[in-house]
Amino acid sequence: MRRLFGAIDWLNEWTGRIVGFQIVFIVGVVVYEVVMRSVFVRPTLWANETMVYVTAMAYLLGGGYTLLHRRHVIVDVIYQRLLPRTRARLDLLTFLFFVIYMLTLIWVGWSFAWDSVQQRETAGTPWNPPIYPVKLAIPLAGALVLLQGLANVVRDFYAARGETRP
């Protein structure tokens, strides 16, 4: 299990690092658009949609990385006051809802993505970029987050019991 969870951690770590470069790309697009619009009075046709779609992919694919580093929002005010055993039980209960949500995201996201790929769906705007890559990111992101959540909850379960296994 340690090797499997290590592989999940590695996959989400590197996905997050790659997604980080998407943010740098987005900043470059924004700067380019601002310069073209403000200095040369020649706004681009593609910059706004590029920013929206690349940002959407970064947001989606960064979820597993965020969960790996435990940077998702939690309500610490109550949670930190609970006993470790109570926290572990609460984590297991909330994990059930997490799994249901992620499986739904993967299932429905795959349905949307597959339809989009088959239609070679585009944005329908003057620039008209393909949007199926963004829709494919939905089930992929769901799978990455689900895998990381599974690795985290098993580790937390053993930690709550005072063990250091996976």
Side-chain angles (χ1 to χ4, degrees):
M1 241 193 313
R2 201 175 292 229
R3 289 181 73 187
L4 173 63
F5 293 160
I8 292 168
D9 292 348
W10 179 87
L11 179 61
N12 277 309
E13 179 70 35
W14 280 99
T15 301
R17 289 180 184 206
I18 291 166
V19 165
F21 286 110
Q22 285 181 284
I23 303 303
V24 173
F25 173 74
I26 292 164
V27 169
V29 170
V30 170
V31 169
Y32 181 81
E33 175 64 15
V34 168
V35 169
M36 291 304 291
R37 181 172 295 197
S38 302
V39 176
F40 299 107
V41 192
R42 296 192 48 101
T44 65
L45 184 62
W46 54 269
N48 187 50
E49 284 181 294
T50 299
M51 289 182 283
V52 169
Y53 295 137
V54 174
T55 301
M57 289 182 71
Y59 170 79
L60 287 165
L61 296 174
Y65 177 85
T66 304
L67 192 57
L68 169 65
H69 293 282
R70 300 185 185 254
R71 294 297 189 202
H72 282 280
V73 177
I74 63 170
V75 183
D76 279 344
V77 175
I78 298 168
Y79 187 80
Q80 292 301 323
R81 292 183 178 167
L82 300 174
L83 296 172
R85 188 173 207 160
T86 306
R87 272 189 256 161
R89 288 179 180 153
L90 184 60
D91 288 344
L92 289 174
L93 177 67
T94 57
F95 184 71
L96 174 66
F97 293 110
F98 168 80
V99 169
I100 292 168
Y101 176 76
M102 296 316 299
L103 290 175
T104 303
L105 181 68
I106 294 165
W107 181 266
V108 174
W110 176 253
S111 176
F112 287 146
W114 185 245
D115 288 345
S116 184
V117 167
Q118 287 180 318
Q119 297 170 17
R120 297 180 194 257
E121 186 177 11
T122 59
T125 60
W127 182 46
N128 206 28
I131 60 171
Y132 56 86
V134 178
K135 289 191 176 183
L136 282 169
I138 296 169
L140 176 60
L144 290 171
V145 172
L146 179 61
L147 288 172
Q148 192 62 56
L150 177 62
N152 287 357
V153 79
V154 171
R155 287 179 179 136
D156 291 348
F157 178 73
Y158 279 106
R161 292 176 58 190
E163 299 176 31
T164 59
R165 276 193 243 183

